[in-house]
């Protein structure tokens, strides 16, 4: 079942999410719903708070394979890279964000097994963007104050529930997460 994606301005996006303690049927349903929601929105990543669930869990599919990250952490981050990002909670907004270029992340999968992933490029960016969501941090927090002021009106429109893209099929952003 597709769930509603929260927009910037909705409180759960700003909350610190709690660790997942058990992988049960409820969690599996949540993950299934989140994948459905993410694919319908043409996103490459989606964090649980974006559907109003403040648990430390996110999904990523950059085109290679669907991945589920439960209780993720970044154990190493190196380099620096600026690239455009989008976020399903900010429909139509794209901003350049600087982040470490490479990360090593650890998490648990849906079978309860721990795994480690070494990532660069889009995957590294997506992991950092989604992990931020679990701490109530949004990608517009990582742009300059001056730039945030410039896009104030756009942010207000999004907070009012609007999309900046009238036709959501157009120009679907690969990096929306
Ligand atoms: Ni996002």
């Amino acid at each position: 079942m597709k769930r509603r994606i929260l927009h910037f301005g909705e409180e759960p996006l700003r909350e610190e999410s709690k660790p997942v303690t058990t992988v049960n049927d409820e969690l599996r349903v949540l993950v299934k719903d989140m994948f459905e929601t993410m694919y319908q929105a043409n996103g490459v990543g989606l964090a649980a708070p974006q559907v109003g669930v403040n648990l430390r869990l996110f999904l990523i599919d950059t085109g290679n394979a669907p991945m589920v990250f439960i209780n993720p952490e970044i154990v190493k981050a190196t380099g620096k890279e600026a690239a455009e990002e989008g976020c399903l909670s900010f429909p139509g907004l794209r901003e350049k964000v600087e982040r470490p270029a490479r990360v090593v992340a650890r998490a648990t999968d849906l079978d309860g097994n721990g795994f480690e992933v070494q990532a660069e490029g889009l995957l590294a960016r997506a992991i950092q963007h989604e992990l931020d969501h679990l701490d109530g941090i949004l990608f517009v927090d990582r742009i300059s104050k001056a730039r945030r002021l410039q896009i104030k009106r756009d942010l207000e429109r999004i907070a009012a529930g609007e999309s900046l893209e009238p036709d959501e099929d157009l120009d679907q952003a690969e990096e929306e997460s």
Side-chain angles (χ1 to χ4, degrees):
M1 187 189 68
K2 189 178 165 248
R3 304 205 184 190
R4 183 177 74 85
I5 299 175
L6 273 53
H7 271 213
F8 169 64
E10 294 190 81
E11 194 44 42
L13 290 176
R14 284 303 190 187
E15 280 170 27
E16 173 95 21
S17 289
K18 293 197 165 59
V20 172
T21 51
T22 36
V23 177
N24 54 21
D25 284 349
E26 197 185 339
L27 196 84
R28 278 184 277 268
V29 169
L30 172 65
V31 168
K32 190 169 167 283
D33 287 356
M34 282 174 62
F35 270 119
E36 198 181 323
T37 306
M38 180 178 87
Y39 289 135
Q40 277 207 17
N42 291 311
V44 300
L46 184 70
Q50 291 182 278
V51 294
V53 179
N54 282 111
L55 285 175
R56 300 192 75 80
L57 155 76
F58 62 73
L59 323 173
I60 288 178
D61 188 348
T62 56
N64 302 321
M67 298 175 83
V68 180
F69 292 74
I70 297 169
N71 298 334
E73 53 180 335
I74 287 172
V75 292
K76 197 177 170 192
T78 51
K80 234 177 217 181
E81 201 168 73
E84 272 206 345
E85 277 181 38
C87 178
L88 294 178
S89 295
F90 294 77
L93 184 72
R94 303 191 56 74
E95 289 295 325
K96 199 168 247 193
V97 180
E98 188 178 281
R99 297 184 185 270
R102 291 168 298 279
V103 296
V104 178
R106 281 185 198 144
T108 300
D109 66 19
L110 259 190
D111 298 317
N113 299 316
F115 66 94
E116 187 175 285
V117 50
Q118 294 182 33
E120 57 180 15
L122 177 57
L123 181 58
R125 181 163 296 274
I127 289 171
Q128 295 173 81
H129 176 116
E130 299 309 332
L131 192 53
D132 271 354
H133 273 299
L134 307 184
D135 294 319
I137 299 166
L138 301 169
F139 80 128
V140 292
D141 301 336
R142 298 203 179 275
I143 62 178
S144 72
K145 267 195 184 138
R147 180 62 189 153
R148 243 191 342 266
L149 214 60
Q150 281 178 348
I151 61 167
K152 191 166 175 275
R153 256 198 70 77
D154 286 344
L155 292 176
E156 284 168 358
R157 284 179 58 198
I158 290 167
E162 291 177 42
S163 168
L164 302 181
E165 267 173 23
D167 184 349
E168 299 200 325
D169 294 332
L170 276 180
D171 187 29
Q172 254 320 319
E174 282 260 297
E175 298 100 298
E176 282 201 17
S177 42

